[in-house]
Structure formats: structure tokens, C-alpha cells
Amino acid sequence: MPLKADLDAIDWKILRELQGDGRMTNVELSSRVGISAPPCLRRVRRLEEAGIIRGYRALLNAPALGMDVVAFCLIGLHHQADAELKTFAERTRGWPIVRDAWMVSGESDFLLHCVASDLGTFQTFVIEELASAPNVDTVRTALTIRRVKDEGLVAFPA
């Protein structure tokens, strides 16, 4: 698969380091990747401007905040015309319980990552919001037991 960006080994090191710790200072980052601070900062800005680095976030501990239920929902729609797919995708943006949403291929049309304070809240969402949404045909849910891996979204070449 061809790369969609012109990245050298230093760029890859910068991305790997920032994905692991987006809060480190530019001085620390430059030390870790083996270049001085000014060119390191220019590279980071170039990666941001190119959209390769989309932003920075704090990773929150959901259970510590009382959000104990994590579930995935597979959604099948009655009709899969482009307009219907776009309408459902837009609807997911209005559901705070849905933290991540993907349009998928196969038996289902969407995969939703949901986080709720408790099982009752999640069940109410599934029954009153999700299953009753226009054009929704099937809803299959999977409650998680525990997270067994938590890595950044991009795996880096060795």
C-alpha cells in the first residue's frame, strides 16, 4: 500500500513519539528523535498542516468518571443508498453516548462504540434512540468485559 504522505525516518519517529505522549515538550521530542528543537518544531507544524497530525487529546479514565459500560453496536439499515447512509452517519453525531462510529462492510452497515454510566442508560439508548431511529433494521449489541489492548490508532514500521 503506497504512503499518502512523503515522510522520512525522522517524521516517523516524531509521529511514534507524539502518539505515545502528545504532551511532551518540543525540546524533549527533539531529543528523542535525534534532531535539534527548531527543525523538530518545523516538522511537527508541517505534519499538523498536512493533516497527518489531526489534533491532541487527553485520554480519560472512563470508569473513574462513572462511565462503567462500554459496548459496541452493529447497525443494519433497511436501505443503503448514499443519502440514507449519510443521514444515519449524521444522526450518530447527535448521540453523546456514541463515542466513535464507523461505516462498515459486510452484514452490518455501521459499528458504534458506546460508553454509558450504567446498563440501564445504555439499554434506554438502544431501545428508545437507536432501534427506533428511521431506517434502522437491525441492532446487535456486544457489552465489553474488559479492555485487553489500548494502543494508538497507527502501528509503525519496525
Side-chain angles (χ1 to χ4, degrees), residues 76-90:
L77 302 180
H78 287 290
H79 307 286
Q80 292 81 22
D82 190 51
E84 282 85 359
L85 294 169
K86 287 178 179 175
T87 297
F88 185 82
E90 184 60 34

Side-chain angles (χ1 to χ4, degrees), residues 1-5:
M1 183 172 91
L3 283 176
K4 296 181 179 181

Side-chain angles (χ1 to χ4, degrees), residues 26-98:
N26 182 58
V27 171
E28 174 67 18
L29 177 62
S30 67
S31 172
R32 289 187 188 189
V33 301
I35 61 175
S36 64
C40 185
L41 184 58
R42 284 193 297 272
R43 284 173 178 262
V44 170
R45 287 189 176 142
R46 181 177 52 85
L47 292 166
E48 291 170 345
E49 289 166 4
I52 293 168
I53 296 175
R54 295 186 306 127
Y56 301 89
R57 301 181 175 179
L59 301 175
L60 306 180
N61 181 337
L65 296 169
M67 305 303 268
D68 293 322
V69 174
V70 176
F72 290 90
C73 300
L74 286 163
I75 311 303
L77 302 180
H78 287 290
H79 307 286
Q80 292 81 22
D82 190 51
E84 282 85 359
L85 294 169
K86 287 178 179 175
T87 297
F88 185 82
E90 184 60 34
R91 183 177 300 276
T92 66
R93 291 181 184 93
W95 290 326
I97 200 168
V98 176

